[in-house]
Amino acid sequence: AQSVTQLDSQVPVFEEAPVELRCNYSSSVSVYLFWYVQYPNQGLQLLLKYLSGSTLVKGINGFEAEFNKSQTSFHLRKPSVHISDTAEYFCAVSSSGSARQLTFGSGTQLTVLP
Amino acid sequence: SQTIHQWPATLVQPVGSPLSLECTVEGTSNPNLYWYRQAAGRGLQLLFYSVGIGQISSEVPQNLSASRPQDRQFILSSKKLLLSDSGFYLCALVGQVNFYGYTFGSGTRLTVV
């Protein structure tokens, strides 16, 4: 079985400051990892994904994440946030041998303050 | 590219009324399809998933049901809505060729009054 823990339910940060949203997972097999963003009253949009290869993954809107197998983490980072980055962010994991089932974390609300 | 359409965007229904939410897919064949619900201030709850026509797996026993009458159509239904059915409902798909994560629809905001 796999699980995902997003360690912070809410993260307030000032505009142009850096941010890190934390995600830890557990799985007994190789994994695929994802970050999604959800703006109010919208569906989820894929930010970035790790399938294999380089552990540093770059996504849309200036976000990046680093896969750390030893710490079973996949933290999301952005060096300088904008007001428009205010949204809910979801981390998700899928075992590479699974029937394409994603397990989502509980989400982190990022609020960028002026 | 694969796309997913959900409607309606918002819906207000009285308690005890029936429900039908529809999700249709373009750009892929034989996808896996999923229904999720988000209650206010909560994460994503997987309700149903389907790997093919007529094949439905239920994750949470409740007042809802799902059907897949066609390859690219996924329907969420209820015979009698409860107040607790209020929430944001999302349909998602995964294509069969490569697994690059889910593609989500734009969601339906259901308010049961």
Side-chain angles (χ1 to χ4, degrees), chain A residues 1-4 25-33 50-51 67-70 72-73 92-101 103, chain B residues 99:
Chain A
Q2 57 201 26
S3 66
V4 179
Y25 69 92
S26 66
S27 175
S28 58
V29 296
S30 298
V31 294
Y32 298 150
L33 293 158
Y50 171 79
L51 304 180
F67 171 54
N68 188 318
K69 188 175 182 179
S70 63
T72 60
S73 68
V93 63
S94 175
S95 296
S96 57
S98 76
R100 302 169 183 274
Q101 296 284 64
T103 299
Chain B
F99 180 55

Coordinates of all heavy atoms in Angstrom, one line a residue, chain A residues 1-4 25-33 50-51 67-70 72-73 92-101 103, chain B residues 99:
Chain A
A1 N 0.8 -1.2 0.0 CA 0.0 0.0 0.0 C 0.9 1.3 0.0 O 2.0 1.2 0.5 CB -0.9 0.0 1.2
Q2 N 0.4 2.3 -0.6 CA 1.1 3.5 -0.6 C 0.4 4.6 0.1 O -0.9 4.6 0.2 CB 1.4 3.9 -2.1 CG 0.1 4.1 -2.9 CD 0.3 4.0 -4.4 OE1 1.3 3.3 -4.8 NE2 -0.6 4.6 -5.2
S3 N 1.1 5.6 0.6 CA 0.4 6.8 1.2 C 1.3 8.0 1.0 O 2.4 7.9 0.7 CB 0.2 6.5 2.7 OG 1.5 6.4 3.4
V4 N 0.6 9.2 1.2 CA 1.3 10.4 1.0 C 0.9 11.3 2.2 O -0.2 11.4 2.6 CB 0.8 11.1 -0.3 CG1 1.5 12.5 -0.5 CG2 1.0 10.2 -1.5
Y25 N 6.2 10.3 1.2 CA 5.4 9.2 0.7 C 5.9 7.9 1.3 O 7.1 7.8 1.8 CB 5.5 9.1 -0.8 CG 6.8 8.7 -1.3 CD1 7.1 7.4 -1.6 CD2 7.8 9.7 -1.6 CE1 8.3 7.0 -2.0 CE2 9.0 9.3 -2.0 CZ 9.3 8.0 -2.3 OH 10.6 7.6 -2.7
S26 N 5.1 6.9 1.3 CA 5.5 5.6 1.6 C 5.0 4.6 0.6 O 3.9 4.7 0.2 CB 5.0 5.2 3.0 OG 3.6 5.1 3.0
S27 N 5.9 3.7 0.2 CA 5.6 2.7 -0.8 C 6.6 1.6 -0.8 O 7.8 1.9 -0.6 CB 5.5 3.3 -2.2 OG 5.3 2.3 -3.2
S28 N 6.2 0.4 -1.0 CA 7.2 -0.7 -1.0 C 7.8 -1.0 -2.3 O 8.7 -1.8 -2.4 CB 6.4 -1.9 -0.5 OG 5.4 -2.2 -1.3
V29 N 7.4 -0.2 -3.3 CA 8.0 -0.5 -4.7 C 8.3 0.9 -5.3 O 8.2 1.9 -4.7 CB 6.9 -1.2 -5.6 CG1 6.6 -2.6 -5.0 CG2 5.7 -0.4 -5.7
S30 N 8.9 0.8 -6.5 CA 9.2 2.1 -7.2 C 8.0 2.9 -7.4 O 6.9 2.4 -7.6 CB 9.9 1.7 -8.5 OG 11.0 1.0 -8.4
V31 N 8.2 4.2 -7.4 CA 7.1 5.1 -7.5 C 7.2 6.1 -8.6 O 8.3 6.5 -9.1 CB 6.9 5.9 -6.1 CG1 6.5 4.9 -5.0 CG2 8.1 6.7 -5.8
Y32 N 6.0 6.7 -9.0 CA 5.9 7.9 -9.8 C 5.4 8.9 -8.8 O 4.5 8.6 -8.0 CB 4.9 7.7 -10.9 CG 5.3 6.7 -12.0 CD1 4.3 6.0 -12.7 CD2 6.6 6.4 -12.3 CE1 4.6 5.1 -13.6 CE2 7.0 5.4 -13.2 CZ 6.0 4.8 -13.9 OH 6.3 3.8 -14.9
L33 N 5.8 10.2 -9.0 CA 5.4 11.2 -8.0 C 4.9 12.4 -8.8 O 5.5 12.8 -9.9 CB 6.6 11.6 -7.1 CG 7.0 10.5 -6.1 CD1 8.4 10.7 -5.7 CD2 6.1 10.5 -4.9
Y50 N 7.6 13.2 -11.5 CA 8.8 12.4 -11.6 C 8.5 11.0 -11.9 O 7.7 10.4 -11.2 CB 9.5 12.5 -10.2 CG 10.7 11.5 -10.2 CD1 11.9 11.8 -10.7 CD2 10.5 10.2 -9.6 CE1 12.9 10.8 -10.7 CE2 11.5 9.3 -9.6 CZ 12.7 9.6 -10.2 OH 13.8 8.7 -10.2
L51 N 9.0 10.6 -13.0 CA 8.8 9.2 -13.5 C 10.1 8.4 -13.4 O 10.1 7.2 -12.9 CB 8.3 9.1 -14.9 CG 7.0 10.0 -15.2 CD1 6.6 9.8 -16.7 CD2 5.9 9.5 -14.3
F67 N 13.2 14.7 -6.0 CA 12.9 13.4 -5.5 C 14.1 12.9 -4.7 O 15.2 12.9 -5.1 CB 12.7 12.4 -6.7 CG 12.6 11.0 -6.3 CD1 11.7 10.5 -5.3 CD2 13.4 10.0 -6.9 CE1 11.6 9.2 -5.0 CE2 13.3 8.7 -6.6 CZ 12.4 8.3 -5.6
N68 N 13.8 12.6 -3.4 CA 14.8 12.1 -2.5 C 14.4 10.7 -2.0 O 13.5 10.5 -1.2 CB 15.0 13.0 -1.3 CG 16.2 12.6 -0.5 OD1 16.4 11.4 -0.2 ND2 17.0 13.6 0.0
K69 N 15.0 9.7 -2.6 CA 14.6 8.3 -2.3 C 14.9 7.9 -0.9 O 14.1 7.2 -0.2 CB 15.2 7.3 -3.3 CG 14.7 5.9 -3.2 CD 15.3 5.0 -4.3 CE 14.7 3.6 -4.3 NZ 15.3 2.8 -5.3
S70 N 16.1 8.3 -0.4 CA 16.5 7.9 0.9 C 15.6 8.5 2.0 O 15.3 7.8 3.0 CB 17.9 8.2 1.2 OG 18.1 9.6 1.1
T72 N 12.4 9.5 1.2 CA 11.1 9.3 0.7 C 10.3 10.6 0.7 O 9.2 10.7 1.2 CB 10.3 8.2 1.5 OG1 10.1 8.6 2.8 CG2 11.0 6.9 1.4
S73 N 10.9 11.6 0.0 CA 10.3 12.9 0.0 C 10.3 13.4 -1.4 O 11.1 13.0 -2.3 CB 11.1 13.9 0.9 OG 12.4 14.2 0.3
A92 N 1.0 13.6 -5.0 CA 0.4 12.4 -5.3 C 1.5 11.3 -5.7 O 2.5 11.7 -6.2 CB -0.6 12.5 -6.4
V93 N 1.2 10.1 -5.4 CA 2.1 9.0 -5.7 C 1.4 7.8 -6.3 O 0.2 7.6 -6.1 CB 2.8 8.5 -4.4 CG1 1.8 7.9 -3.4 CG2 3.9 7.5 -4.7
S94 N 2.1 7.2 -7.3 CA 1.6 6.0 -7.9 C 2.7 5.0 -7.9 O 3.8 5.3 -8.3 CB 1.1 6.2 -9.3 OG 0.7 5.0 -9.9
S95 N 2.4 3.7 -7.5 CA 3.4 2.7 -7.7 C 3.5 2.3 -9.1 O 2.5 2.2 -9.8 CB 3.0 1.5 -6.9 OG 3.0 1.8 -5.5
S96 N 4.7 2.2 -9.6 CA 5.0 2.0 -11.1 C 4.3 0.7 -11.6 O 4.0 0.6 -12.7 CB 6.5 2.0 -11.4 OG 7.1 1.0 -10.6
G97 N 4.1 -0.2 -10.7 CA 3.5 -1.5 -11.1 C 2.0 -1.5 -10.9 O 1.3 -2.5 -11.1
S98 N 1.4 -0.4 -10.5 CA 0.0 -0.4 -10.1 C -0.9 -0.3 -11.3 O -0.5 -0.1 -12.4 CB -0.3 0.8 -9.1 OG -0.4 2.0 -9.9
A99 N -2.2 -0.4 -11.0 CA -3.2 -0.2 -12.1 C -3.6 1.2 -12.3 O -4.7 1.6 -12.3 CB -4.5 -1.0 -11.8
R100 N -2.5 2.1 -12.4 CA -2.7 3.5 -12.6 C -3.5 4.2 -11.5 O -4.4 5.0 -11.9 CB -3.3 3.7 -14.0 CG -2.4 3.1 -15.1 CD -3.1 3.1 -16.4 NE -2.3 2.4 -17.4 CZ -1.4 3.0 -18.2 NH1 -1.2 4.3 -18.0 NH2 -0.7 2.3 -19.0
Q101 N -3.3 3.8 -10.3 CA -4.0 4.5 -9.2 C -3.1 5.5 -8.5 O -2.0 5.2 -8.1 CB -4.4 3.4 -8.2 CG -5.4 2.4 -8.7 CD -6.8 3.0 -8.8 OE1 -7.1 3.9 -9.6 NE2 -7.7 2.4 -8.0
T103 N -2.5 8.0 -5.4 CA -2.9 8.3 -4.0 C -2.5 9.8 -3.7 O -1.4 10.1 -3.9 CB -2.2 7.4 -3.0 OG1 -2.6 6.0 -3.3 CG2 -2.6 7.7 -1.6
Chain B
F99 N 1.5 6.2 -18.7 CA 1.0 6.8 -17.5 C 1.7 8.0 -17.1 O 2.9 8.0 -16.7 CB 1.0 5.8 -16.4 CG 0.5 6.3 -15.1 CD1 -0.8 6.8 -15.0 CD2 1.3 6.3 -13.9 CE1 -1.3 7.3 -13.8 CE2 0.8 6.8 -12.8 CZ -0.5 7.3 -12.7

